[in-house]
PDB file of all heavy atoms in Angstrom:
ATOM      1  N   GLN A  10      16.460  -7.698  -7.184  1.00 98.00           N
ATOM      2  CA  GLN A  10      16.455  -8.668  -6.114  1.00 98.00           C
ATOM      3  C   GLN A  10      17.546  -8.277  -5.072  1.00 98.00           C
ATOM      4  O   GLN A  10      18.697  -8.243  -5.454  1.00 98.00           O
ATOM      5  CB  GLN A  10      16.626 -10.071  -6.561  1.00 98.00           C
ATOM      6  CG  GLN A  10      16.510 -11.120  -5.460  1.00 98.00           C
ATOM      7  CD  GLN A  10      15.136 -11.242  -4.868  1.00 98.00           C
ATOM      8  OE1 GLN A  10      14.138 -11.235  -5.622  1.00 98.00           O
ATOM      9  NE2 GLN A  10      15.032 -11.300  -3.591  1.00 98.00           N
ATOM     10  N   ILE A  11      17.153  -7.772  -3.989  1.00 98.00           N
ATOM     11  CA  ILE A  11      18.079  -7.241  -2.965  1.00 98.00           C
ATOM     12  C   ILE A  11      18.630  -8.374  -2.184  1.00 98.00           C
ATOM     13  O   ILE A  11      17.973  -9.271  -1.755  1.00 98.00           O
ATOM     14  CB  ILE A  11      17.468  -6.210  -2.013  1.00 98.00           C
ATOM     15  CG1 ILE A  11      16.919  -5.066  -2.821  1.00 98.00           C
ATOM     16  CG2 ILE A  11      18.459  -5.776  -0.927  1.00 98.00           C
ATOM     17  CD1 ILE A  11      16.011  -4.048  -2.093  1.00 98.00           C
ATOM     18  N   ASP A  12      20.067  -8.365  -2.017  1.00 97.00           N
ATOM     19  CA  ASP A  12      20.690  -9.390  -1.229  1.00 97.00           C
ATOM     20  C   ASP A  12      20.126  -9.353   0.226  1.00 97.00           C
ATOM     21  O   ASP A  12      19.985  -8.271   0.784  1.00 97.00           O
ATOM     22  CB  ASP A  12      22.192  -9.013  -1.311  1.00 97.00           C
ATOM     23  CG  ASP A  12      23.026 -10.089  -0.544  1.00 97.00           C
ATOM     24  OD1 ASP A  12      22.820 -10.324   0.677  1.00 97.00           O
ATOM     25  OD2 ASP A  12      23.807 -10.678  -1.173  1.00 97.00           O
ATOM     26  N   PRO A  13      19.825 -10.514   0.789  1.00 97.00           N
ATOM     27  CA  PRO A  13      19.258 -10.436   2.140  1.00 97.00           C
ATOM     28  C   PRO A  13      20.054  -9.759   3.137  1.00 97.00           C
ATOM     29  O   PRO A  13      19.497  -9.113   4.078  1.00 97.00           O
ATOM     30  CB  PRO A  13      19.050 -12.023   2.453  1.00 97.00           C
ATOM     31  CG  PRO A  13      18.906 -12.719   1.161  1.00 97.00           C
ATOM     32  CD  PRO A  13      19.775 -11.786   0.177  1.00 97.00           C
ATOM     33  N   SER A  14      21.406  -9.815   2.953  1.00 97.00           N
ATOM     34  CA  SER A  14      22.163  -9.092   3.966  1.00 97.00           C
ATOM     35  C   SER A  14      22.141  -7.700   3.936  1.00 97.00           C
ATOM     36  O   SER A  14      22.640  -6.860   4.789  1.00 97.00           O
ATOM     37  CB  SER A  14      23.670  -9.569   3.833  1.00 97.00           C
ATOM     38  OG  SER A  14      24.231  -9.198   2.585  1.00 97.00           O
ATOM     39  N   HIS A  15      21.424  -7.086   2.889  1.00 96.00           N
ATOM     40  CA  HIS A  15      21.356  -5.570   2.722  1.00 96.00           C
ATOM     41  C   HIS A  15      19.899  -5.115   2.862  1.00 96.00           C
ATOM     42  O   HIS A  15      19.652  -3.925   2.605  1.00 96.00           O
ATOM     43  CB  HIS A  15      21.870  -5.202   1.323  1.00 96.00           C
ATOM     44  CG  HIS A  15      23.352  -5.375   1.158  1.00 96.00           C
ATOM     45  ND1 HIS A  15      24.260  -4.509   1.716  1.00 96.00           N
ATOM     46  CD2 HIS A  15      24.048  -6.361   0.508  1.00 96.00           C
ATOM     47  CE1 HIS A  15      25.482  -4.935   1.399  1.00 96.00           C
ATOM     48  NE2 HIS A  15      25.436  -6.061   0.698  1.00 96.00           N
ATOM     49  N   LEU A  16      18.978  -5.951   3.260  1.00 96.00           N
ATOM     50  CA  LEU A  16      17.522  -5.563   3.332  1.00 96.00           C
ATOM     51  C   LEU A  16      17.363  -4.437   4.401  1.00 96.00           C
ATOM     52  O   LEU A  16      16.504  -3.541   4.126  1.00 96.00           O
ATOM     53  CB  LEU A  16      16.794  -6.737   3.737  1.00 96.00           C
ATOM     54  CG  LEU A  16      16.290  -7.686   2.634  1.00 96.00           C
ATOM     55  CD1 LEU A  16      15.529  -8.851   3.175  1.00 96.00           C
ATOM     56  CD2 LEU A  16      15.483  -6.875   1.531  1.00 96.00           C
ATOM     57  N   ALA A  17      18.137  -4.466   5.541  1.00 95.00           N
ATOM     58  CA  ALA A  17      17.830  -3.457   6.473  1.00 95.00           C
ATOM     59  C   ALA A  17      18.149  -1.981   6.053  1.00 95.00           C
ATOM     60  O   ALA A  17      17.403  -1.099   6.427  1.00 95.00           O
ATOM     61  CB  ALA A  17      18.729  -3.765   7.725  1.00 95.00           C
ATOM     62  N   GLY A  18      19.046  -1.825   5.147  1.00 93.00           N
ATOM     63  CA  GLY A  18      19.455  -0.461   4.678  1.00 93.00           C
ATOM     64  C   GLY A  18      19.001  -0.187   3.350  1.00 93.00           C
ATOM     65  O   GLY A  18      19.361   0.785   2.666  1.00 93.00           O
ATOM     66  N   ASP A  47       8.122 -11.635  -0.767  1.00 97.00           N
ATOM     67  CA  ASP A  47       9.624 -11.663  -0.795  1.00 97.00           C
ATOM     68  C   ASP A  47      10.021 -10.142  -0.582  1.00 97.00           C
ATOM     69  O   ASP A  47      10.141  -9.437  -1.598  1.00 97.00           O
ATOM     70  CB  ASP A  47      10.164 -12.204  -2.008  1.00 97.00           C
ATOM     71  CG  ASP A  47      11.703 -12.157  -2.104  1.00 97.00           C
ATOM     72  OD1 ASP A  47      12.306 -11.643  -1.146  1.00 97.00           O
ATOM     73  OD2 ASP A  47      12.226 -12.658  -3.110  1.00 97.00           O
ATOM     74  N   GLY A  49      12.755  -8.726  -0.447  1.00 97.00           N
ATOM     75  CA  GLY A  49      13.981  -8.404  -1.229  1.00 97.00           C
ATOM     76  C   GLY A  49      13.650  -8.212  -2.754  1.00 97.00           C
ATOM     77  O   GLY A  49      14.526  -7.810  -3.583  1.00 97.00           O
ATOM     78  N   ILE A  82      24.094  -3.841  -3.533  1.00 95.00           N
ATOM     79  CA  ILE A  82      23.187  -4.376  -2.672  1.00 95.00           C
ATOM     80  C   ILE A  82      22.296  -5.447  -3.384  1.00 95.00           C
ATOM     81  O   ILE A  82      21.417  -6.029  -2.729  1.00 95.00           O
ATOM     82  CB  ILE A  82      22.226  -3.409  -1.947  1.00 95.00           C
ATOM     83  CG1 ILE A  82      21.352  -2.674  -2.992  1.00 95.00           C
ATOM     84  CG2 ILE A  82      23.093  -2.309  -1.200  1.00 95.00           C
ATOM     85  CD1 ILE A  82      20.220  -1.859  -2.290  1.00 95.00           C
ATOM     86  N   LEU A  83      22.543  -5.765  -4.570  1.00 96.00           N
ATOM     87  CA  LEU A  83      21.691  -6.686  -5.324  1.00 96.00           C
ATOM     88  C   LEU A  83      22.285  -8.146  -5.251  1.00 96.00           C
ATOM     89  O   LEU A  83      23.484  -8.314  -5.256  1.00 96.00           O
ATOM     90  CB  LEU A  83      21.610  -6.275  -6.897  1.00 96.00           C
ATOM     91  CG  LEU A  83      21.025  -4.895  -7.104  1.00 96.00           C
ATOM     92  CD1 LEU A  83      20.873  -4.582  -8.539  1.00 96.00           C
ATOM     93  CD2 LEU A  83      19.558  -4.799  -6.405  1.00 96.00           C
ATOM     94  N   ALA A  84      21.318  -9.109  -5.356  1.00 97.00           N
ATOM     95  CA  ALA A  84      21.653 -10.439  -5.363  1.00 97.00           C
ATOM     96  C   ALA A  84      21.793 -10.951  -6.814  1.00 97.00           C
ATOM     97  O   ALA A  84      22.353 -12.105  -6.974  1.00 97.00           O
ATOM     98  CB  ALA A  84      20.679 -11.302  -4.547  1.00 97.00           C
TER      99      ALA A  84
END
Side-chain angles (χ1 to χ4, degrees):
Q10 185 67 43
I11 299 169
D12 185 298
S14 66
H15 292 285
L16 278 177
D47 177 3
I82 68 165
L83 300 183

